[in-house]
Amino acid sequence: MKLWGGMFEKETEESVHRFARSLQYDVRLYPYDIRASRCHAEALREAGVLDDAECASIVRALQDIERELDADNFMFLASDEDIHSAVERSLTERLGPLGGKLRAARSRNDQVAADLRLFLKDDCLAVGRLIVGMNEALLVVAEACPESPMPGYTHMQPAQPVLFSHHLMAYFEMFKRDLERFLQARSRLDVCPLGSGSLAGVTYGLDRQKMAEELGFGAVSANSMDAVGDRDFVAEVLFAASITAVHLSRLSEEIILWSTAEFGFIKLDDAYSTGSSIMPQKRNPDVAELVRAKSSRLCGHLSSVLGMMKGL
């Protein structure tokens, strides 16, 4: 009975660890975690917590870790709960007690908040570039058929004649607003939370303004409790992504309808359609169908984040 109890406790501990582990998701934050860690090391040097040699050793070790991660040569352990603990564990293994000194004046709370903000700043720009590319493609198609008429529909019934180019430019306007939303969300999340600690700030004399400037943040957080608890910016980015996904879903639905034999407005290129296993003459709009289906995921993620924020 005692042996069984010990085995049960071990299995329970392992199950809890697997449940709490987020490494498979947050590993993509590693460039930002290392970048913020280097900045924190420099701030600790200026605050007198690290001397020049110690700071240089930590920065070199962080650079080595980043190179290994870039090359997919970094050795993760089963005990690594997230990317932050994995980097910290590796740093301590390389430098001994010196690696642990990087924890001074920093909590996992402000560390994660900073990493996530840096990641989303880049992500908003990356998505923005994709939206610009989408609108450029819409312009190319609209300009190629400026006089092509088509029926405009209300209630899925033919209503008034419109130009196909005019219809496409309606989506141009939607995606233009989507781009604005991403850029606006980015401007509001451009705030550095480092120096907030777990919730009440830190007692070391960190130059928070300099840290923000070195990391490319436009401002420093004004309240430590808000800085570590704020996830408004995540919800804002997800909202912008959800609206964009809805617009993509609308366009995909129209492409699906327009390409049917009943409508016959467009013919999809082979690159964006597939045949049938028993009817090779078919041109199935699989890409548009997948876009329409996957768009709902973002709406679900937004709902989950809002629910989590409400429960804090």
Side-chain angles (χ1 to χ4, degrees):
M1 184 68 178
K2 183 177 180 181
L3 175 62
W4 181 88
M7 292 175 62
F8 178 78
E9 289 175 2
K10 182 180 180 181
E11 290 177 0
T12 300
E13 182 179 348
E14 291 174 351
S15 296
V16 169
H17 174 72
R18 286 195 300 270
F19 180 74
R21 200 171 195 243
S22 61
L23 181 61
Q24 65 270 37
Y25 304 108
D26 58 40
V27 65
R28 69 191 69 181
L29 295 178
Y30 82 81
Y32 308 98
D33 192 74
I34 290 175
R35 182 177 160 197
S37 294
R38 288 200 301 262
C39 178
H40 186 65
E42 294 290 348
L44 289 178
R45 180 183 62 79
E46 293 188 2
V49 179
L50 299 174
D51 60 32
D52 291 347
E54 289 175 325
C55 180
S57 296
I58 289 175
V59 169
R60 280 195 300 271
L62 288 170
Q63 290 171 338
D64 290 341
I65 292 171
E66 185 172 29
R67 278 192 288 268
E68 291 176 12
L69 284 162
D70 287 341
D72 201 22
N73 290 329
F74 183 83
M75 295 299 295
F76 287 104
L77 302 182
S79 58
D80 292 333
E81 181 178 303
D82 52 35
I83 187 60
H84 320 288
S85 59
V87 170
E88 184 178 292
R89 185 262 309 160
S90 182
L91 185 68
T92 304
E93 287 177 353
R94 295 163 196 254
L95 300 179
L98 174 58
K101 294 182 75 171
L102 192 62
R103 289 197 295 267
R106 184 171 72 167
S107 163
R108 186 64 52 82
N109 293 353
D110 57 353
Q111 179 182 1
V112 171
D115 293 355
L116 189 53
R117 285 174 182 269
L118 289 169
F119 169 78
L120 288 177
K121 280 183 64 178
D122 283 355
D123 217 40
C124 283
L125 290 181
V127 174
R129 284 190 287 269
L130 292 174
I131 293 174
V132 170
M134 182 73 180
N135 267 355
E136 288 174 346
L138 287 171
L139 278 174
V140 168
V141 178
E143 290 174 350
C145 46
E147 303 297 332
S148 299
M150 67 174 291
Y153 288 79
T154 60
H155 304 276
M156 278 302 293
Q157 300 295 318
Q160 294 174 291
V162 297
L163 294 176
F164 181 62
S165 55
H166 188 66
H167 198 128
L168 290 180
M169 291 306 291
Y171 284 101
F172 182 95
E173 295 297 326
M174 296 179 211
F175 292 126
K176 186 172 72 172
R177 292 194 299 273
D178 294 335
L179 176 60
E180 291 170 354
R181 270 186 284 268
F182 274 105
L183 295 180
Q184 289 164 0
R186 186 180 187 273
S187 69
R188 278 188 288 274
L189 68 84
D190 191 19
V191 178
C192 182
L194 292 179
S196 298
S198 58
L199 85 163
V202 297
T203 56
Y204 294 84
L206 301 180
D207 188 340
R208 298 188 66 218
Q209 186 62 46
K210 185 174 181 180
M211 294 173 75
E213 291 172 358
E214 289 183 359
L215 291 172
F217 283 112
V220 173
S221 58
N223 183 284
S224 59
M225 292 184 69
D226 177 64
V228 298
D230 173 29
R231 292 298 181 269
D232 295 359
F233 63 94
V234 177
E236 275 201 83
V237 173
L238 275 173
F239 174 75
S242 297
I243 294 292
T244 303
V246 168
H247 291 157
L248 287 168
S249 182
R250 285 181 59 182
L251 178 57
S252 297
E253 177 65 20
E254 300 217 89
I255 289 173
I256 293 166
L257 286 173
W258 292 344
S259 64
T260 61
E262 290 76 11
F263 279 73
F265 294 166
I266 63 173
K267 181 179 179 181
L268 287 177
D269 189 273
D270 288 343
Y272 306 102
S273 58
T274 60
S276 167
S277 58
I278 61 171
M279 294 172 284
Q281 81 281 2
K282 290 188 66 183
R283 303 173 67 86
N284 298 323
D286 277 1
V287 172
E289 289 171 340
L290 289 170
V291 171
R292 181 183 60 177
K294 291 184 177 183
S295 296
S296 60
R297 291 184 184 178
L298 286 168
C299 299
H301 293 328
L302 173 60
S303 180
S304 296
V305 167
L306 291 174
M308 177 196 69
M309 292 169 61
K310 181 178 180 297
L312 291 177

